[in-house]
Amino acid sequence: MKFANCLVLCFLPMMLIASMSPPRGIMPDQIISGVNALRASQGLAPYVVDSWLMSYAQEHAEYMASLGHGTHTHSDGVVPWEIGLQENVAGGTAGWVTTDFIINQVWADPGHGKVLTGYASGEVGVGVASNDVDVYVSLDVRPGGESYAPTQRATSLGNDAADADPTAVSGTPRPPVPLVTVTPLADGSVYHIVGTGQTLWDIAQAYGITVDRLLLLNGFKDENETIYVGQRLLIELPPIAVTVTVSHLPSATPTIDPTQLTPAATMTATPPAIPTQPPVPSPTPTETIDDAKIRSERLTSTLLLVAVIMAGFILLYSLAFRGTRRY
């Protein structure tokens, strides 16, 4: 009995430690090894690990884990291609997604595949972070050398992809179909029909919008949302038409019907009495009535005097003439 108790006491701490240790998940070096193995299978030189790209990718992986969804927009608001980098991101339930699943299924389309095998050489950095539910991976590449046109890895797409596209069969290359934009509908909305090999990133770039806006318009959770050939994606909402209806407003000029007017009693208005104000003296002197009377009397006296004098002269002349004749 004592021996059994001793065994329990000895192995119990070891069991507790084992249960508390997190399971080994995806590691950055595993992603880099898997990508370089894929490149080697296509005759390409391996990507060289760059310390700055490693820290850059790790910071973005932690940023995505804090957000709870994948994105190419980093915490500083910059997307990698604005600074000469190419980037793949992925996410999934921790403990379920694997390195092989991310490289050979999540990143199997032409858009993601170009980052893995689309360049003859380059430098690489990988970051991995997780929250309570999901794990997020960021792979950043600084391309070098000339571009290389990779073949489509059709064998890694799985049965679902083969069913969606009959040309996706083992050993048969599947070149991507050129992405052609569509014209707006009559209401101004724009819908895109997904073609073979097209990704959310390709579609967003073709229409000049961000991937985040494309996700928002179509209700997608993150960039890892599965799209299929023939799917209808909303690119642009129809413009909002604003209609203003004005009613029950009085007219600016009221209309009066003469037949509806009632004649009113005629009233004679008496003008108000205007108060008499004393004359205002004019600055120019004017002749008064008394002055005119005086002038008239003087003129009459003068004329009378002249008449008397003349009568006197006439009388004297007559007397003198008679006297001359008498002598």
Side-chain angles (χ1 to χ4, degrees), residues 55 57-68 127-130 136 138:
S55 61
Q58 181 62 36
E59 184 274 337
H60 187 50
E62 294 174 358
Y63 178 62
M64 291 189 295
S66 67
L67 294 178
V128 179
S130 61
Y136 294 90
S138 175

Side-chain angles (χ1 to χ4, degrees), residues 91-256:
T93 304
W96 183 81
V97 294
T98 62
T99 300
D100 179 73
F101 177 80
I102 291 176
I103 295 176
N104 296 312
Q105 294 195 45
V106 177
W107 294 343
D109 60 272
H112 292 93
K114 182 178 181 180
V115 180
L116 304 181
T117 59
Y119 304 100
S121 62
E123 299 171 317
V124 68
V126 175
V128 179
S130 61
N131 50 28
D132 296 336
V133 179
D134 299 319
V135 61
Y136 294 90
V137 177
S138 175
L139 179 142
D140 290 277
V141 173
R142 184 184 294 114
E146 62 184 14
S147 297
Y148 171 78
T151 58
Q152 172 65 31
R153 292 172 287 137
T155 56
S156 65
L157 295 179
N159 294 330
D160 294 339
D163 294 338
D165 183 2
T167 64
V169 294
S170 178
T172 303
R174 186 183 67 179
V177 175
L179 198 156
V180 179
T181 58
V182 299
T183 56
L185 299 179
D187 62 354
S189 60
V190 178
Y191 287 89
H192 176 78
I193 305 302
V194 179
T196 305
Q198 296 176 2
T199 66
L200 293 175
W201 187 86
D202 296 329
I203 296 171
Q205 288 293 306
Y207 286 94
I209 63 175
T210 63
V211 176
D212 290 339
R213 176 164 177 78
L214 185 60
L215 298 177
L216 178 64
L217 289 173
N218 293 275
F220 293 157
K221 180 180 178 182
D222 52 45
E223 298 173 4
N224 298 320
E225 194 81 26
T226 300
I227 59 176
Y228 54 86
V229 176
Q231 184 176 1
R232 193 166 180 252
L233 297 181
L234 176 61
I235 304 298
E236 185 65 38
L237 290 170
I240 300 176
V242 179
T243 303
V244 178
T245 303
V246 179
S247 60
H248 305 295
L249 292 179
S251 175
T253 304
T255 303
I256 301 175

Side-chain angles (χ1 to χ4, degrees), residues 318-327:
S318 300
L319 293 176
F321 183 74
R322 287 180 182 181
T324 304
R325 290 183 62 187
R326 186 175 294 173
Y327 297 102

Side-chain angles (χ1 to χ4, degrees), residues 5 15 17 19-20 39 58 91 111 208 211 249 261 265 273 301 324:
N5 292 338
M15 294 173 62
I17 293 174
S19 63
M20 294 174 61
R39 291 178 59 82
Q58 181 62 36
V211 176
L249 292 179
L261 296 177
S301 300
T324 304

Side-chain angles (χ1 to χ4, degrees), residues 305-327:
L305 179 60
V306 171
V308 170
I309 294 173
M310 290 182 66
F313 275 111
I314 293 173
L315 180 60
L316 290 177
Y317 178 77
S318 300
L319 293 176
F321 183 74
R322 287 180 182 181
T324 304
R325 290 183 62 187
R326 186 175 294 173
Y327 297 102

Side-chain angles (χ1 to χ4, degrees), residues 20-47:
M20 294 174 61
S21 300
R24 181 176 176 82
I26 301 173
M27 302 297 291
D29 59 342
Q30 295 175 349
I31 298 291
I32 295 173
S33 298
V35 170
N36 282 335
L38 177 63
R39 291 178 59 82
S41 69
Q42 299 190 15
L44 297 172
Y47 281 147

